Amino acid sequence: MALWLTLAVNSIALGGLLFLLSAGFSLIFGLMRIPNLMHGSFFMLGAYFGVTLLWQGVNFWAAALISAAAMAVIGGLIERFLLRRLAGEQLPQVLLTLGFALIIGDISLMLWTGDPWQPATPAHLQGAVQVAGLFFPVYRLVIVMVAVVIAAALWLMVDWTRLGAMIRAGVDDPAIARVVGIKVSQLFTLIFALGAGLAAFGGVIGSPVLSVYPGLDAEMLPLALIVVILGGTGSLLGTLVGSFLIGFLYNFGQARFPDLAYVILFLPMLLVLVLRPQGLFGKGGS
């Protein structure tokens, strides 16, 4: 029983990190209609940058926010000056993001070497809380709470603000959104920057759990793709549900059925693609 509960807590924490990685990715995919293959690189590069700040003595949460802001700026510049020039050309956009992912991977290897970096859990979040005789790591619970708070903030932004209405219009039908005067290209930049920032923030707060190492981007990107396919592009609710679902499938699959871990992980995605291509919470058409 204790093992199952430990796996459950770890799965929920991973689900929180996957939501931070996948939320912006889902909106980017919904607006731009391309998979951003360097999204995992924002997660890894943001984590490296944040860990470097931690080594310099910067406060943990300040390092996470600074890293998120830096990746948001980089992401916005890439979209504004490179991806926008390839608007409507999906294959060149995919190749561009793939090229950037490879470049970022090599630069990270050159600057931070191939050794894993794993910062210590912040002192004020170390330890565990006891519930019904069982102990749960405080830091993993904090990750979940942070993910829930950010999910609530994104939901309020998307569903209850004018900006959110424009984002929803751009996700549902970008052509009509342009006709009614919505500057979809500016939404591209904003959402791309937001997605990059959230991914970097998730990378930093996940580093005490996952550590940071070359290839982390290649491990996290497929998980984000599966989350978006399961939940539906542009759907925050779908991303939230899909993130925790994949967190459970990934952790329990690796722990209980290691030889079938990837079958357990990818089979639900294949079923969704066949039975409901728009995802569990996505809208058909568009």
Side-chain angles (χ1 to χ4, degrees), residues 29-265:
F29 201 178
L31 275 172
M32 303 178 71
R33 300 297 191 264
I34 63 165
N36 172 25
L37 298 184
M38 62 179 162
H39 203 70
S41 300
F42 289 133
F43 185 91
M44 181 183 71
L45 186 59
Y48 270 127
F49 187 46
V51 168
T52 302
L53 292 175
L54 291 176
W55 281 177
Q56 299 298 320
V58 178
N59 174 269
F60 182 83
W61 296 108
L65 292 174
I66 293 171
S67 179
M71 291 306 108
V73 171
I74 292 173
L77 291 174
I78 290 173
E79 195 288 324
R80 174 64 181 83
F81 294 104
L82 296 175
L83 283 173
R84 188 174 300 185
R85 295 176 181 272
L86 302 174
E89 302 179 50
Q90 294 186 353
L91 181 57
Q93 288 178 324
V94 170
L95 292 175
L96 176 67
T97 60
L98 176 60
F100 263 107
L102 296 174
I103 291 171
I104 291 172
D106 281 351
I107 291 176
S108 297
L109 183 61
M110 180 181 67
L111 294 178
W112 289 284
T113 74
D115 296 327
W117 291 49
Q118 185 168 18
T121 301
H124 62 287
L125 297 177
Q126 293 178 358
V129 294
Q130 184 176 6
V131 179
L134 298 172
F135 292 89
F136 300 98
V138 172
Y139 188 67
R140 283 173 169 78
L141 298 178
V142 169
I143 290 176
V144 176
M145 289 189 289
V146 169
V148 170
V149 169
I150 291 179
L154 289 174
W155 172 72
L156 289 173
M157 181 191 77
V158 171
D159 281 14
W160 295 95
T161 67
R162 184 172 181 272
L163 173 62
M166 292 190 292
I167 291 172
R168 294 199 309 275
V171 169
D172 291 341
D173 197 325
I176 295 299
R178 288 188 177 94
V179 169
V180 299
I182 295 175
K183 297 180 179 179
V184 176
S185 61
Q186 293 184 1
L187 289 180
F188 284 178
T189 304
L190 175 63
I191 295 302
F192 205 92
L194 176 63
L198 285 174
F201 185 79
V204 177
I205 69 171
S207 57
V209 177
L210 302 174
S211 76
V212 193
Y213 50 88
L216 177 63
D217 53 341
E219 289 189 16
M220 299 303 292
L221 179 62
L223 298 179
L225 282 169
I226 298 172
V227 167
V228 170
I229 291 171
L230 283 179
T233 58
S235 170
L236 285 176
L237 176 59
T239 301
L240 184 64
V241 173
S243 295
F244 287 108
L245 177 61
I246 294 304
F248 272 88
L249 289 176
Y250 186 80
N251 264 333
F252 277 87
Q254 293 280 359
R256 307 301 297 177
F257 307 100
D259 293 336
L260 298 174
Y262 285 101
V263 174
I264 295 171
L265 187 62

